[in-house]
């Protein structure tokens, strides 16, 4: 998760929401990393998880990534969780819960949806305090800048 936090800081430096992701194969080797790039790439799918999935799939030359674990600083949204499940990842470990768009139990729980054909194991709250504070401080600073610009 510490490496995912480092990825989140890359996003923050670019003015992106600081979310980072790392994918590790079953042997413990990093096969993909990513951070939010939606603004920079003008891409609504440029979430950290999707960027990391693309890197891992390219690394493996396969769109399926079975046995891998994704570490991400924020609970995945429905789009990301759908991509994770399509890629057949074994496990997701996230830091901070997302009460607005979280798809691993906060708003909906896609991994537990029995009608879907693949189920990914999910563990939440790993380094949750620091992951959450990284996001809160980013948005606090952004709100302060916006309010100063209105003056």
């Amino acid at each position: 998760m510490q490496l995912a936090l480092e990825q989140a800081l890359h996003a923050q430096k670019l003015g992106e929401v600081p979310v980072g992701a790392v994918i590790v194969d079953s042997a413990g080797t990093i096969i993909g990393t990513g951070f939010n790039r939606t603004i920079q790439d003008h891409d609504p799918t440029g979430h950290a998880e999707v960027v990391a999935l693309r890197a891992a799939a390219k690394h493996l030359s396969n769109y399926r990534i079975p046995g891998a674990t994704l570490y991400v600083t924020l609970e995945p949204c429905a789009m990301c969780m759908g991509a994770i499940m399509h890629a057949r990842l074994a496990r997701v470990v996230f830091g901070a819960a997302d009460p607005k768009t979280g798809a691993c139990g906060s708003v909906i729980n896609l991994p537990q949806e029995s009608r879907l054909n693949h189920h990914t194991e999910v563990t939440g709250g790993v380094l949750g305090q620091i992951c959450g504070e990284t996001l809160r401080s980013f948005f606090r600073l952004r709100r302060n800048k916006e309010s100063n610009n209105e003056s």
Side-chain angles (χ1 to χ4, degrees), residues 21 23 33-36 43-57 65 70 72 77 79-84:
I23 299 177
T33 62
F35 54 85
N36 273 6
D43 180 1
T45 68
H47 291 195
E49 300 95 322
V50 172
V51 174
L53 284 168
R54 288 175 180 155
I65 313 168
L70 179 134
V72 61
C77 69
M79 175 187 70
C80 292
M81 202 59 225
I84 289 163

Side-chain angles (χ1 to χ4, degrees), residues 29-78:
T29 303
I30 295 172
I31 57 172
T33 62
F35 54 85
N36 273 6
R37 301 179 58 88
T38 56
I39 298 166
Q40 179 166 335
D41 291 350
H42 311 287
D43 180 1
T45 68
H47 291 195
E49 300 95 322
V50 172
V51 174
L53 284 168
R54 288 175 180 155
K58 188 172 185 174
H59 175 82
L60 296 174
S61 298
N62 192 344
Y63 71 102
R64 297 281 167 96
I65 313 168
T69 299
L70 179 134
Y71 296 87
V72 61
T73 58
L74 181 65
E75 179 181 0
C77 69

